[in-house]
Amino acid sequence: MMNIISIINNKGGVGKTTITQNLGVCMAKNGYKTAVIDFDAQANLSYSIKHTLNKDLGSLLLKKAPITIEDFSITEYKNLYILPNDKDINGALFGRMNPADQLFALKNILKDLNTFDFIFIDTAPNLDTPTFNALIASNHVVIPVEYDIFSAIGIAVLYDNINSAKQVNADLNVLGVITTKVHKGRKINNEMQAPLIKHFKEVVFNTSIRTNEKFKQAQAEQTDIFTFESSFSEKRGSEDMESFSKEVIERLKKSN
Ligand SMILES: Nc1ncnc2c1ncn2[C@@H]1O[C@H](COP(=O)(O)OP(=O)(O)O)[C@@H](O)[C@H]1O
Ligand SMILES: [Mg+2]
């Protein structure tokens, strides 16, 4: 079965795009045939992964025909493909569709696709129509959170929305919560860890993505953390992403 995994949090800046990018690259590096879909109109993911533009997501959604691997854009990585966001994926685009199709646009174009081991979908920092499209087209959700009280509160709202998506997509599973931008040893993190673990105990991944400016620097150079850190002796970002990807694979094995 193809694993379609949405990276969701209506809060911005929590690391959705960074995780989609580097998890996608990590899976591809490990030999899995992987695709990433940029469902955020800000198109940060499309910037971060160098590719040769083929067809953009918006025009494929409007065309409505089921897509194949030929519709994806080729990236600079072997095994990694992208549906880039070239034109705005926003309310106006969905407004041009039949209302009955609006929430199912992504699911409908992905339905004949069987080529990939993983598809990771990056989403916008809101719970609008594009994000619901991602939730309806996915079988798993990964939720990045920063250790702060607002994230802990926001996650409850997010769960409500995931539950409403489940009404039309009963298969949707929360694969896990990944904590990001974690300063190991900082008091605030220890304080926040308790409520987060209490509410989402079984779903919090053991891995944390530590605070690491190299994620930012890599993206500024339109590259991934593995490539960027390859010239440094310390490779914290690469280690965190590799460890996270292993946990993702383990959990998928258990849930599929
Ligand atoms: N672990 C991290 N440590 C430091 N900076 C990070 C980390 N993860 C992401 N960032 C940076 O934080 C900013 C927001 O991350 P991003 O992935 O774009 O979040 P989102 O997609 O949720 O809005 C980006 O500049 C990114 O490079
Ligand atoms: Mg983003």
Side-chain angles (χ1 to χ4, degrees), residues 12-18 181 209-212 215-216 219:
V14 295
K16 289 182 290 297
T17 301
T18 305
K181 300 189 176 179
I209 311 295
R210 289 169 285 185
T211 297
N212 183 350
F215 282 110
K216 221 174 265 189
Q219 286 162 342

Side-chain angles (χ1 to χ4, degrees), residues 9-14 16 39-42 123-128 131:
N9 192 326
N10 46 316
K11 208 162 172 286
V14 295
K16 289 182 290 297
F39 233 125
D40 184 357
Q42 290 178 62
T123 62
N126 58 52
L127 294 164
D128 295 344
T131 305

Side-chain angles (χ1 to χ4, degrees), residues 16-17 37-44 57 85 89 122-125:
K16 289 182 290 297
T17 301
I37 300 180
D38 189 352
F39 233 125
D40 184 357
Q42 290 178 62
N44 295 156
L57 177 60
N85 197 324
I89 299 292
D122 188 23
T123 62

Side-chain angles (χ1 to χ4, degrees), residues 124-150:
N126 58 52
L127 294 164
D128 295 344
T129 305
T131 305
F132 265 94
N133 264 266
L135 287 175
I136 288 171
S138 299
N139 30 43
H140 300 279
V141 177
V142 164
I143 305 171
V145 299
E146 271 183 78
Y147 267 170
D148 64 44
I149 191 64
F150 299 123

Side-chain angles (χ1 to χ4, degrees), residues 179-238:
T179 50
T180 65
K181 300 189 176 179
V182 174
H183 288 277
K184 283 270 153 68
R186 269 237 203 132
K187 191 159 176 276
I188 179 78
N189 292 324
N190 299 335
E191 280 166 8
M192 283 304 118
Q193 188 159 3
L196 199 65
I197 302 277
K198 190 172 129 211
H199 287 293
F200 307 108
K201 194 177 169 193
E202 71 284 12
V203 295
V204 179
F205 287 101
N206 291 323
T207 306
S208 289
I209 311 295
R210 289 169 285 185
T211 297
N212 183 350
E213 287 302 307
K214 294 199 179 78
F215 282 110
K216 221 174 265 189
Q217 294 162 353
Q219 286 162 342
E221 294 186 10
Q222 288 188 284
T223 195
D224 63 276
I225 194 70
F226 304 98
T227 307
F228 190 81
E229 284 185 338
S230 64
S231 56
F232 292 86
S233 55
E234 203 183 65
K235 302 182 197 307
R236 293 190 306 149
S238 309

